[in-house]
Amino acid sequence: MKPSDLIKKEILSTVSNWLDEYGETNSIPKNLDTPEDIENTIELLKNSDYWYDAKNEIRSATHETGLDLGYSRHYESKGVAMQIDGKWIGWTYWYGGGKHGEPSAIEWIDDAIFLDAKEETKVVMVFSKQNAQEIKNE
């Protein structure tokens, strides 16, 4: 599956969880194993508020990567990533644009890519002010 397929699968999983939580009829299959299964299920939900809300939640619930994954002169952007099915997937999170901007309308799913990620421990210097009394006595 492509990164975009995994993102869509995660969106559908989020919608399915919400439907179960709210006690509503859940027609989303638990096993979405092929891109065709995913697309067919999306067609059932595409115009629902659940689809748009879950899509926006996945778009926003991410780790910043520091990678430059896209540019627009009208919006600000940052590279973000999420782990889905054990794979890290990155995309451009668009924001800003002023009063009439609509960055959430920019297509981001189809531009997603697989990323490598590793966890590192880093030493960080932390500074604080000394007590004024202690400085005078020295």
Side-chain angles (χ1 to χ4, degrees):
M1 277 199 252
K2 300 183 297 189
S4 58
D5 296 327
L6 292 175
I7 291 172
K8 291 173 185 176
K9 182 179 176 182
E10 186 68 17
I11 294 169
L12 290 172
S13 174
T14 300
V15 171
S16 179
N17 291 338
W18 288 347
L19 292 172
D20 290 342
E21 183 179 329
Y22 302 141
E24 296 188 28
T25 304
N26 187 351
S27 59
I28 299 174
K30 297 296 179 195
N31 296 329
L32 297 169
D33 298 325
T34 66
E36 292 78 25
D37 292 341
I38 293 168
E39 290 300 324
N40 291 337
T41 306
I42 288 172
E43 286 303 316
L44 301 172
L45 295 171
K46 200 133 192 176
N47 294 322
S48 75
D49 288 340
Y50 284 120
W51 170 257
Y52 293 107
D53 290 346
K55 182 178 176 184
N56 195 46
E57 183 165 307
I58 298 301
R59 176 182 169 265
S60 303
T62 57
H63 297 278
E64 288 190 40
T65 64
L67 300 173
D68 183 20
L69 299 176
Y71 170 79
S72 167
R73 65 179 227 181
H74 301 291
Y75 296 104
E76 295 181 60
S77 66
K78 59 184 173 183
V80 296
M82 175 181 256
Q83 191 172 25
I84 302 173
D85 288 351
K87 296 178 173 81
W88 282 97
I89 300 172
W91 60 87
T92 302
Y93 179 84
W94 301 101
Y95 62 100
K99 181 178 179 179
H100 300 289
E102 193 177 355
S104 61
I106 297 174
E107 179 53 50
W108 57 275
I109 295 175
D110 290 335
D111 296 332
I113 58 172
F114 286 116
L115 297 175
D116 291 323
K118 65 179 179 176
E119 197 169 316
E120 295 179 350
T121 303
K122 296 187 178 191
V123 176
V124 178
M125 297 289 293
V126 179
F127 296 93
S128 62
K129 293 181 180 180
Q130 290 184 354
N131 186 334
Q133 297 276 335
E134 293 174 9
I135 296 172
K136 289 179 184 177
N137 293 335
E138 290 181 7

